[in-house]
Amino acid sequence: MTVQQPRHSRSPWIAFAVTASVAVLTILDVVKVNVVLTPLEETLQATPTQTGLVVAGYVLAFGIALVPAGRLGDQWNRKAMFMIGLVIFAIASLGSALAPTASLLVIARILQGIAAGILMPQVLGLIQSTFHGQARGQAFGILGAAIGLGTAFGPTVGGLFLGGFGSELGWRWTFGMNVPLVLVVLPLALWLIPAAQPRDGRADLDLVGVVLMAVSVLFVMLPFVLTTGSGDHPIRWAFLGLGTITAVLFVRWENRYRAAGKSPVLDFTLFSFSSYRNGVIITTLWFAAMPAMFLVMTLFNQQGLGHDPVVVGLITVPYAVVSAIVAAVVGKYTFRHATSLIIWGFIIFIAALIGLVAIAVLVPPEHNPLAMAIVLAIAGVGPGFIMAANQMRTLMDVPVTQGGVAGSFQQVGQRLGNAIGIAVGSAIFYALVVAVPRDASGLPDPTDPASVATYAYAFQMAMAVLILFSLVALIFAGIDHRARSKQLVEQAAATVSS
């Protein structure tokens, strides 16, 4: 292995701050669109399929680009990939803000998702190569806090733009805000991010592996992103079969490629580490539950109960603040206690989801936002544990030279979970409210008790599925905890015997 270690003339935390801020931007764009979907339907006459693709197209492109971009960053240059991703992200954000039609908005969002998929692996790879031991745990803890803030503050950002600028300018600025922010970050990234990095001496690009990986992710995610809950053609599930076939071909190709002494796009020996294997599964399930929770909660409060976008967006503020503080604080403990923190995080989060369901049943509609904000403030402790600890735990045993591609495949799990959770949650929600009477603008009457009751029931059923995702994740967290405990016992025995 050829290693090129950078000489740090300044603290690595400065470069980390720049890259982490960009990670937040990419995650913000996953969730901040939730509150602008209704204005999109009104101002661009967007169909339900088009508004769905504004969300899902970004997630799909994000997922497809991750592993190839991570591989290029590991083998070529993470800083260069980061700069390329930033420029594309700014251009696509401007295109989204200026889109004259819903179709062009979808195209711009797909390009934006590709840019996000280029950026995120470089952030993870830079952390993996720059920090070590407890410092790495702190860095992932802060990154987890930042991502938690982005996820939770997303609806707030969209709501504030809608409240401040009105329906059309509001949604346009929700996308356009990225442009000035990227223009600020771009010169800082060029100046502060180190160009030198550890490299594996084998510099194979594995183009066949890249294509098979991208096609597999596309086919597996496509039926979920095409699920809207209304009038979906069942033929879309055939893509899962195609995805299975291409995934098998991908695995076989990668194993043969590695056996030939070359460097595959994804080295499946990574999955021999129980920490990485379990971490990817937990990540996928976590992102199936958490972002979908925000979506169905937004739809319930905004459409079903008729609350203003600003009010709905503010519901998540306590959650964001608490989760960010907790993630930043516990980061330094994740190196030793990651598995325990993940277990307790899921227990707290599941309890909070049950609390949200209880609010929909028991609390009057006018008090729903405040009650949900209070429950989410408590819930923020759980994600604060999970985001910091699972990121650290997943990459704990991964070689530094594979940090980018390993982190990017974990991100693929996030985007896949994202697509599954949003598809399942929104499909259940929309299917149960489809018969609710609507006015000329296509919205239900929030003063109609029957309409409110139907929306509350739809919210409860969607949340029940998200609770199930979280319970399965908790089971895998328990499995990983046992594996970690066994590993520590074996290490202690080896130390004694030596």
Side-chain angles (χ1 to χ4, degrees):
M1 182 181 74
T2 302
V3 178
Q4 300 175 5
Q5 291 289 0
R7 294 181 179 179
H8 297 296
S9 58
R10 61 178 71 90
S11 170
W13 290 102
I14 301 175
F16 168 79
V18 173
T19 56
S21 66
V22 174
V24 173
L25 283 183
T26 65
I27 297 301
L28 264 176
D29 268 272
V30 176
V31 293
K32 70 185 180 184
V33 297
N34 291 349
V35 295
V36 305
L37 297 182
T38 301
L40 280 176
E41 292 178 1
E42 296 171 354
T43 58
L44 289 184
Q45 287 75 52
T47 66
T49 298
Q50 288 173 323
T51 56
L53 285 174
V54 168
V55 178
Y58 178 87
V59 174
L60 179 63
F62 198 156
I64 290 173
L66 280 164
V67 172
R71 184 61 181 162
L72 279 171
D74 285 347
Q75 293 286 13
W76 177 43
N77 190 291
R78 290 180 187 134
K79 179 176 181 176
M81 290 294 293
F82 189 84
M83 302 303 295
I84 291 169
L86 266 182
V87 172
I88 298 174
F89 193 76
I91 294 171
S93 296
L94 182 62
S96 297
L98 299 178
T101 66
S103 296
L104 289 176
L105 175 58
V106 169
I107 293 170
R109 283 286 286 171
I110 291 172
L111 182 61
Q112 196 181 33
I114 292 171
I118 294 172
L119 287 165
M120 186 61 83
Q122 317 317 323
V123 176
L124 299 173
L126 285 164
I127 293 174
Q128 188 80 343
S129 62
T130 305
F131 298 97
H132 306 279
Q134 184 171 304
R136 186 184 292 172
Q138 288 179 302
F140 279 129
I142 295 170
L143 180 66
I147 289 175
L149 279 171
T151 302
F153 264 119
T156 307
V157 171
L160 289 174
F161 276 121
L162 290 173
F165 296 116
S167 184
E168 180 160 1
L169 276 180
W171 74 254
R172 291 188 184 279
W173 269 107
T174 300
F175 297 119
M177 61 169 275
N178 295 331
V179 179
L181 292 175
V182 169
L183 291 177
V184 171
V185 170
L186 201 60
L188 293 174
L190 189 61
W191 176 40
L192 294 171
I193 295 176
Q197 67 185 59
R199 287 191 179 89
D200 192 319
R202 299 172 299 172
D204 306 308
L205 184 55
D206 186 14
L207 288 175
V208 174
V210 167
V211 172
L212 286 173
M213 175 72 185
V215 172
S216 298
V217 173
L218 172 65
F219 284 160
V220 171
M221 290 182 66
L222 198 56
F224 295 103
V225 302
L226 293 177
T227 299
T228 65
S230 177
D232 301 319
H233 201 292
I235 194 66
R236 70 191 187 283
W237 296 111
F239 284 112
L240 279 180
L242 293 174
T244 301
I245 294 170
T246 55
V248 170
L249 292 174
F250 173 64
V251 172
R252 294 186 64 180
W253 171 265
E254 294 297 273
N255 287 335
R256 288 180 60 186
Y257 201 78
R258 183 171 60 86
K262 299 179 180 180
S263 183
V265 67
L266 181 62
D267 189 343
F268 284 95
T269 58
L270 286 172
F271 292 94
S272 65
F273 300 118
S274 62
S275 57
Y276 185 75
R277 184 174 62 249
N278 293 326
V280 169
I281 295 171
I282 291 169
T283 293
T284 304
L285 292 165
W286 166 241
F287 274 83
M290 186 262 295
M293 174 197 72
F294 290 124
L295 176 60
V296 295
M297 186 182 65
T298 298
L299 292 171
F300 172 53
N301 281 280
Q302 191 173 347
Q303 292 187 8
L305 303 185
H307 292 294
D308 290 335
V310 176
V311 173
V312 176
L314 290 173
I315 293 174
T316 59
V317 171
Y319 171 98
V321 172
V322 172
S323 64
I325 293 172
V326 170
V329 170
V330 304
K332 60 184 177 182
Y333 302 109
T334 57
F335 190 72
R336 292 182 177 272
H337 306 291
T339 56
S340 298
L341 288 169
I342 295 168
I343 289 173
W344 280 107
F346 274 108
I347 291 173
I348 295 168
F349 184 70
I350 291 167
L353 293 184
I354 295 171
L356 293 176
V357 172
I359 288 170
V361 175
L362 302 173
V363 176
E366 62 270 22
H367 300 309
N368 252 255
L370 178 59
M372 287 189 173
I374 293 171
V375 169
L376 285 176
I378 300 169
V381 176
F385 286 175
I386 296 167
M387 295 292 288
N390 193 56
Q391 189 75 61
M392 175 65 186
R393 173 64 180 158
T394 305
L395 299 179
M396 181 179 290
D397 300 317
V398 171
V400 171
T401 55
Q402 293 183 279
V405 72
S408 63
F409 192 78
Q410 184 189 21
Q411 287 280 317
V412 170
Q414 290 186 14
R415 303 288 75 80
L416 178 59
N418 214 167
I420 292 172
I422 288 174
V424 173
S426 61
I428 292 172
F429 188 90
Y430 283 125
L432 292 175
V433 302
V434 68
V436 174
R438 300 172 186 274
D439 59 22
S441 64
L443 297 175
D445 181 2
T447 63
D448 179 10
S451 173
V452 171
T454 301
Y455 266 85
Y457 178 69
F459 175 75
Q460 294 158 29
M461 292 300 99
M463 292 295 284
V465 176
L466 304 186
I467 290 171
L468 180 60
F469 285 144
S470 301
L471 285 170
V472 176
L474 179 59
I475 292 171
F476 276 97
I479 292 171
D480 192 48
H481 181 70
R482 290 183 61 184
R484 177 61 173 165
S485 299
K486 181 180 178 182
Q487 183 184 42
L488 290 174
V489 169
E490 291 173 349
Q491 288 175 352
T495 301
V496 171
S497 63
S498 62

